[in-house]
Amino acid sequence: MSSKMYITTPIYYVNDVPHIGHAYTTIIADTVARYARLRGMDTFFLTGTDEHGQKIEQSAKAKGKTPQEYADEISRKFKELWDSFEISYDKFIRTTDKEHIEGVQKAFEIMYERGDIYKGTYEGHYCISCEAFFPESQLVDGEFCPDCGKETVIVKEESYFFRLSKYQEKLLDWYKSEEECILPKSKKNEVIKFVEGGLNDLSITRTSFDWGVKLPKSLNDPKHVMYVWLDALLNYITALGYGTDEKLMRYWPADFHLVGKDILRFHAVYWPAFLMSLGLPLPKHIAAHGWWTRDGEKMSKSKGNVVDPKIVADAYGLDNFRYFLLREVPFGQDGDFSQRALIDRINSDLSNDLGNLLNRIIGMSGKYFDHKISGTNVRKYHAREIKKTESIINGLEEYMFDMRLHKYLEELWKILGIANKSIDTYAPWSKMKEGKEDEAMATIALVANILAKTALMLHPVMPKTTLKIAQALGFEIENKNFEKFILQNELLPDFTIKSIPPLFPKIEKPLLEEKKRETTPKKAPKEEGIITIDDFFKVSLKIGTVIEAEEVPKSKKLLKLRVDLGEERPRQIIAGIKEFYSPEDLIGKQVCVVANLKPAKLMGLLSEGMILAARDENGLSLLMPETTKKPGTPVK
Ligand code: MSP
């Protein structure tokens, strides 16, 4: 195993205040960093804020601030939150830092000199919210962003391009040769499919706004600023001094880039290609986690249901919240936050399994042995339990470095299961009555040892609580003890067990008031998408007759139709069916139209409805009534 650990979170956009999603990534990274340090690895943990781009410029304007003022304000909020959470980052980078900007310009220059950057003109669809370009083939209804669903804008401007297409094969080779370069493996296949589909060169500069890193002076082209993702991804090396003071570059390559699934493509395709162009080694692992919802619903500012991590941590305890986030959801899958689920974890895993165990040991050691426990006979009476415990502990590290933290915790809890069961099975109180004091002592020492090992292994997840456990058991959580009691499977010889207040008082009811939200009550599991008849009737479906049809110039997909719906004037409908129908095929045909859809513009043309069609691998067919119906006839 490598003796260093370089782990990063994404740098967070400063157009939004921190929420549970940000806290999740940061807490995972913090946990791995703490584990690595406890393990004695030379560790560097990076987080920070992503402050350039059109989105930030627009948000600042809306607030009547300069982008820099706005970025300063929100970046501070992130930093303050992480500091209040005692996140153990080694550097908090801001993309407005002078060293970062210099490093990015240096990288641009190198890529340019290598011939990987050239000047051209970009025309295409851009989603400002995702700060990403999309080919028309990927847009929803020819217009909307396939990732966030928001309207895209057409951008036509002079642009510098990065030769991404040149790296397609090299990227595919990398995915093939490095088994675990993308975690979890299921996500890797999605990336491979995307790259196999073909890579276009990437537009990496913009001229239509200012809030970005200027090109290097040597290019003498001041109207361009860099594409925010190029600027942002480079933070992972500029934070180590790339292009300025390269002292920390010894940490490169990153061992883990932690990212949400929505930004995996930027990290697993663009970033390695940029690195190849710079001649730098590629990251060891890019690990993508899933998304959090709240009470089964997507979080959004407009719904007012965004989970504020600070409020939750203040109410339920930071360590408990950390445990919940890591234990509740398998890494890579989506998770749901609810107070109920959090309370269940606290009451069952933490209070019952861990807290009660400690209380029982404190109680029995005091009652029977004046708090002094000797471990001399543990192996004699409990060889089987010790062996099982050791074998579970020896398997844990792999889960940590595979990012399977839920599994790490699930397995760790098995040793608590061994301890709880041992107390019930060997009943020290009966042994005391029978005069078998050394057996009772051995069982209590077994449990104390299991608790000590648990505290060491759980420390990265619950730093404060485990210090209290260690204090009660009279030992230190430190690298030396980790080596002894975890890596070398030693047992603590003697304990002086101290009383401490219960660590996890049971929680009876939600501690935070739920805001009444005007959402329809949950009727069925979300996946099934069950709707009521009332929901269905919100959609007005009507039969219409196509009276005119023509191609939309320059569009591969769109046809412009005029459809008679029995109204005063026919509707103009822009439909993405050109690959399957020619205009002549359609004139006179009847189709089924969503008549109350909000009008939208597709390639600058107003579309006043949507035509229903079914598509499978054999092509697309419009839905048509079996016999002719009057235009405007409702479909029910
Ligand atoms: N600035 C870019 C990242 C650049 S990294 C070189 C960005 N920032 S972000 O603030 O929009 O998102 C940061 C992270 O938060 C992403 O990894 C994203 O997946 C994560 N999350 C945002 N909402 C989330 C949930 N609801 N749940 C879990 N994580 C989510 O993207």
Side-chain angles (χ1 to χ4, degrees):
M1 198 188 46
S2 136
S3 61
K4 67 109 183 138
M5 165 65 65
Y6 178 28
I7 184 160
T8 68
T9 71
I11 45 173
Y12 303 112
Y13 282 132
V14 290
N15 68 328
D16 196 3
V17 290
H19 59 61
I20 188 175
H22 305 125
Y24 180 53
T25 329
T26 307
I27 287 169
I28 298 176
D30 184 59
T31 299
V32 177
R34 283 174 184 271
Y35 182 88
R37 288 191 200 103
L38 189 56
R39 181 79 166 81
M41 296 161 87
D42 180 12
T43 303
F44 196 82
F45 166 19
L46 174 71
T47 190
T49 42
D50 188 355
E51 307 185 9
H52 290 127
Q54 200 168 2
K55 185 161 60 170
I56 312 290
E57 195 181 70
Q58 285 180 350
S59 303
K61 211 170 175 188
K63 292 255 158 52
K65 302 199 166 140
T66 66
Q68 187 65 58
E69 281 167 354
Y70 183 64
D72 288 347
E73 186 189 310
I74 309 274
S75 178
R76 195 180 326 114
K77 288 201 173 141
F78 274 98
K79 191 157 182 300
E80 279 169 3
L81 177 68
W82 303 149
D83 289 341
S84 79
F85 275 14
E86 296 185 28
I87 296 297
S88 64
Y89 58 82
D90 294 288
K91 184 173 169 86
F92 185 99
I93 192 172
R94 299 184 54 186
T95 54
T96 48
D97 290 343
K98 185 169 153 283
E99 297 74 21
H100 170 76
I101 293 172
E102 280 176 36
V104 168
Q105 289 171 330
K106 179 88 193 165
F108 196 100
E109 220 162 26
I110 294 178
M111 287 150 98
Y112 186 79
E113 278 160 14
R114 292 219 165 164
D116 278 348
I117 292 179
Y118 63 93
K119 200 168 174 176
T121 308
Y122 184 82
E123 181 170 10
H125 300 265
Y126 192 73
C127 173
I128 296 174
S129 183
C130 296
E131 297 280 18
F133 293 100
F134 293 96
E136 198 170 315
S137 58
Q138 281 181 21
L139 297 183
V140 176
D141 289 345
E143 185 188 15
F144 299 101
C145 171
D147 283 356
C148 73
K150 295 201 180 118
E151 205 170 335
T152 54
V153 289
I154 294 184
V155 171
K156 181 173 181 185
E157 47 185 57
E158 180 185 280
S159 173
Y160 285 82
F161 286 84
F162 174 73
R163 289 189 201 282
L164 187 62
S165 54
K166 169 176 155 189
Y167 290 98
Q168 177 165 345
E169 287 313 313
K170 286 197 183 118
L171 285 167
L172 289 169
D173 289 345
W174 180 54
Y175 305 141
K176 218 179 279 160
S177 65
E178 295 302 321
E179 238 329 91
E180 299 200 330
C181 60
I182 298 167
L183 295 170
K185 287 180 197 152
S186 55
K187 295 264 188 304
K188 184 175 168 184
N189 297 334
E190 291 171 23
V191 173
I192 294 179
K193 258 200 206 126
F194 174 81
V195 175
E196 280 174 346
L199 293 177
N200 295 329
D201 289 351
L202 186 68
S203 163
I204 50 162
T205 67
R206 304 287 308 274
T207 55
S208 53
F209 65 97
D210 280 337
W211 185 236
V213 178
K214 300 261 179 294
L215 301 202
K217 291 229 166 54
S218 56
L219 270 88
N220 195 17
D221 212 345
K223 63 177 188 294
H224 288 262
V225 294
M226 282 186 219
Y227 174 41
V228 62
W229 271 101
L230 172 63
D231 160 9
L233 287 161
L234 285 163
N235 95 89
Y236 299 130
I237 53 175
T238 60
L240 303 179
Y242 179 82
T244 50
D245 173 0
E246 305 210 340
K247 270 203 298 288
L248 294 172
M249 278 302 279
R250 67 188 155 87
Y251 285 109
W252 189 258
D255 296 274
F256 287 101
H257 288 313
L258 272 173
V259 299
K261 62 180 182 180
D262 53 318
I263 57 170
L264 177 60
R265 195 193 330 146
F266 298 95
H267 284 80
V269 182
Y270 301 172
W271 179 226
F274 295 156
L275 287 165
M276 287 176 192
S277 174
L278 293 172
L280 288 173
L282 305 187
K284 304 244 181 68
H285 309 285
I286 298 161
H289 63 71
W291 269 49
W292 284 87
T293 50
R294 177 175 196 169
D295 298 306
E297 288 185 46
K298 198 168 171 203
M299 284 182 280
S300 77
K301 271 195 252 174
S302 54
K303 277 193 206 155
N305 66 344
V306 175
V307 179
D308 181 334
K310 179 88 176 106
I311 292 178
V312 177
D314 285 349
Y316 288 93
L318 175 60
D319 275 6
N320 298 350
F321 180 50
R322 287 173 66 109
Y323 174 81
F324 168 80
L325 289 176
L326 302 187
R327 175 65 187 84
E328 186 70 3
V329 183
F331 186 87
Q333 292 181 22
D334 292 341
D336 187 50
F337 175 85
S338 67
Q339 291 197 68
R340 198 62 266 164
L342 174 57
I343 293 171
D344 285 350
R345 284 282 169 206
I346 294 174
N347 287 349
S348 140
D349 300 10
L350 297 177
S351 186
N352 283 352
D353 300 344
L354 176 57
N356 282 351
L357 187 66
L358 182 65
N359 291 344
R360 289 175 92 181
I361 285 306
I362 293 173
M364 284 191 278
S365 67
K367 187 165 170 195
Y368 305 133
F369 303 112
D370 194 23
H371 297 285
K372 297 211 170 20
I373 300 297
S374 152
T376 322
N377 289 322
V378 176
R379 289 198 196 271
K380 177 171 161 201
Y381 291 109
H382 294 295
R384 208 161 38 99
E385 285 81 8
I386 291 290
K387 200 163 159 241
K388 263 207 239 158
T389 301
E390 285 173 1
S391 114
I392 291 169
I393 291 211
N394 294 342
L396 289 181
E397 182 162 290
E398 196 180 329
Y399 296 122
M400 174 67 68
F401 290 144
D402 267 358
M403 283 299 132
R404 281 186 290 165
L405 287 148
H406 71 288
K407 188 75 185 155
Y408 176 95
L409 291 169
E410 190 183 307
E411 285 293 303
L412 180 57
W413 249 244
K414 287 190 182 156
I415 72 171
L416 293 177
I418 295 174
N420 275 310
K421 192 161 167 238
S422 298
I423 296 193
D424 296 342
T425 312
Y426 301 107
W429 51 92
S430 313
K431 293 281 166 10
M432 291 300 290
K433 273 193 207 138
E434 293 161 21
K436 296 176 181 163
E437 288 196 4
D438 54 345
E439 283 187 41
M441 174 81 94
T443 304
I444 296 173
L446 166 75
V447 173
N449 262 292
I450 289 181
L451 278 167
K453 287 179 196 286
T454 304
L456 282 162
M457 294 310 273
L458 189 58
H459 182 64
V461 179
M462 304 184 75
K464 285 230 165 97
T465 312
T466 46
L467 287 182
K468 291 186 195 155
I469 299 176
Q471 195 197 5
L473 298 175
F475 80 103
E476 300 280 318
I477 294 190
E478 57 184 6
N479 167 254
K480 193 170 68 91
N481 281 340
F482 189 88
E483 291 197 347
K484 255 173 130 171
F485 302 119
I486 299 296
L487 301 182
Q488 289 149 25
N489 289 321
E490 281 185 30
L491 295 177
L492 274 163
D494 298 300
F495 295 90
T496 303
I497 298 182
K498 279 198 226 70
S499 289
I500 55 165
L503 293 176
F504 310 104
K506 281 253 164 76
I507 300 174
E508 302 298 337
K509 56 179 190 340
L511 302 176
L512 295 171
E513 211 177 302
E514 294 284 352
K515 261 199 237 146
K516 289 265 172 295
R517 280 177 288 116
E518 286 183 16
T519 49
T520 35
K522 257 209 280 172
K523 289 146 198 139
K526 202 170 83 229
E527 289 77 9
E528 287 172 23
I530 303 290
I531 59 169
T532 63
I533 191 77
D534 292 338
D535 292 333
F536 176 72
F537 281 132
K538 284 184 196 151
V539 182
S540 162
L541 296 174
K542 288 184 180 169
I543 296 298
T545 306
V546 180
I547 51 175
E548 282 174 28
E550 60 184 274
E551 295 186 346
V552 172
K554 286 208 227 142
S555 167
K556 277 192 245 127
K557 302 207 149 191
L558 299 179
L559 290 184
K560 185 167 95 178
L561 313 177
R562 288 171 77 75
V563 181
D564 178 8
L565 284 182
E567 298 165 333
E568 245 170 52
R569 60 168 185 85
R571 300 238 193 147
Q572 173 167 290
I573 296 181
I574 311 298
I577 54 175
K578 186 169 160 185
E579 290 157 90
F580 308 96
Y581 290 91
S582 60
E584 316 72 79
D585 295 339
L586 291 170
I587 295 172
K589 291 263 162 54
Q590 288 209 304
V591 289
C592 183
V593 176
V594 180
N596 60 344
L597 196 65
K598 190 171 160 214
K601 275 197 170 168
L602 298 175
M603 291 197 69
L605 298 168
L606 190 69
S607 183
E608 302 167 301
M610 187 170 80
I611 295 185
L612 297 188
R615 182 172 184 174
D616 65 9
E617 61 278 11
N618 300 319
L620 175 140
S621 310
L622 291 174
L623 299 189
M624 297 178 176
E626 207 180 5
T627 55
T628 306
K629 292 281 161 232
K630 256 203 275 170
T633 306
V635 178
K636 290 186 175 171

